[in-house]
């Protein structure tokens, strides 16, 4: 069936691995031959090169062991290597080492200040990476890919940060270059919300093909999954709802961290709430302290969070009208306030979005403690085990 020469010439070992990787269970050579139109010998040859490189492992399915010889099945070898991950926010970072199925092997959280600049922060990440490897008895040679997320706009082609509002000193810094000097593997850099939406997407049992992740922390931003794909936009700037302008209704619009006036963030971001509370004489200096103040019943803090949630809800409603997602997932530190934020956002979205867009829409808070880490781990695995990278690796082995 369909075994035209054109098909079998085109199906590379890397493409075969891609098929194996997306199966729910290990697959036989016969199934691979049927799937690709390759001859048995062509499949055997390609599977052998994947086996020799350690990329796939043979497995046997006991369930089938009912008379006759069970066919050898093949699966991706999750221990072929590991990925190193750093999910970096404005004030904290999670670093991790993961296997290539995206499972966490080791994770660590550190408080940081992103405005210390790339040398200090990337240096700290690099130290954590080393200690993760040591604690898992791994060497840099085991690292097959690196994923870094940052709280700012990332040029999707170069992996460089572009005029980030809060990342002083990071503009145009070569983050991939920093790590490729130490590790011989691909490095991927993502905006934090892109990593988060991908993590939520890959971890959800429903795996909604159209999903929006809204991060509500110090800043406000969103990541979009559209038709099952991470949507970065033409240059990587998609989803930046925090810097859309609100109508200030005649009042003087507050200045934003991006140097514009009246952005959503300048009214409703965590930093704006802290600014207003401090001006009102309430002594809260971090988002954690803010969350604590609300939990302890501080009326002013509660009122300002509610007002923010309403503005955030308006921004989310715009996103819902624009992208028509099936799921909106709220994450970030302010979501620690649970229903207070969630209920208000829901109310605004149902009020301001079209009935068709909200009929099947769910709006929930993110249950995962680390969607950014999981998203990066999945993105790195996709890249490392993708056909292009695998075929390049196999060619390098031959050469
Ligand atoms: Zn702004």
């Amino acid at each position: 069936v369909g075994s035209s020469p054109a098909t079998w010439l085109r199906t590379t070992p890397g493409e075969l691995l891609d098929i194996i990787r997306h199966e729910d269970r290990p697959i036989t050579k016969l199934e691979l031959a049927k799937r690709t139109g390759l001859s048995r010998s062509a499949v055997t040859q390609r599977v052998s090169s994947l086996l020799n490189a350690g990329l796939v492992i043979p497995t046997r399915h006991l369930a089938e062991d009912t008379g006759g010889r069970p066919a050898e099945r093949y699966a991706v070898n999750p221990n072929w290597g590991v990925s190193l991950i750093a999910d970096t926010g404005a004030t904290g970072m999670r670093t991790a080492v993961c296997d290539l199925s995206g499972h966490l092997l080791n994770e660590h959280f550190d408080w940081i200040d992103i405005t210390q600049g790339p040398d200090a922060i990337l240096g700290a990440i690099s130290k954590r990476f080393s200690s993760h490897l040591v604690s898992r008895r791994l060497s840099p040679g085991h690292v097959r890919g690196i994923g870094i997320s940052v709280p700012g706009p990332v040029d999707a082609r170069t992996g460089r940060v572009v005029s980030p509002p809060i990342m002083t000193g990071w503009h145009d810094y070569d983050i991939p270059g920093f790590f490729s000097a130490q590790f011989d593997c691909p490095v991927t850099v993502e905006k934090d919300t892109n990593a988060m939406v991908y993590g939520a997407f890959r971890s959800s049992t429903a795996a909604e093909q159209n999903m929006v992740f809204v991060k509500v922390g110090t800043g406000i931003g969103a990541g979009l999954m559209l038709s099952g794909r991470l949507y970065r936009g033409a240059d990587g700037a998609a989803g930046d709802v925090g810097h859309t302008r609100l109508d200030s209704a005649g009042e003087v619009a507050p200045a934003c961290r991006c140097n514009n006036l009246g952005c959503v963030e300048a009214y409703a971001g965590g930093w704006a709430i802290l600014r207003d509370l401090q001006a009102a004489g309430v002594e809260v200096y971090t988002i954690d302290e803010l969350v604590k103040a609300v939990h302890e019943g501080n009326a002013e803090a509660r009122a300002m969070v509610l007002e923010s949630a309403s503005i955030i809800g308006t921004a989310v409603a715009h996103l819902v009208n624009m992208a028509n997602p099936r799921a909106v997932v709220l994450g970030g530190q302010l979501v620690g306030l649970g229903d207070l934020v969630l209920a208000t956002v829901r109310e605004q979205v149902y009020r301001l979005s079209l009935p068709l867009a909200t009929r099947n829409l769910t709006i929930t808070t993110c249950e995962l403690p680390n969607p950014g880490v999981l998203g990066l781990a999945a993105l790195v695995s996709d890249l490392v085990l993708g056909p292009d990278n695998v075929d390049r690796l196999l060619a390098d082995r031959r050469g």
Side-chain angles (χ1 to χ4, degrees), residues 242-243 256-258 260 263:
H243 299 284
C256 185
R257 303 185 295 179
C258 69
N260 281 330
C263 295

Side-chain angles (χ1 to χ4, degrees), residues 165 240-245 254-266 271:
D240 244 330
V241 277
H243 299 284
T244 48
R245 189 173 176 146
C256 185
R257 303 185 295 179
C258 69
N259 294 326
N260 281 330
L261 296 174
C263 295
V264 166
E265 226 189 78
W271 64 269

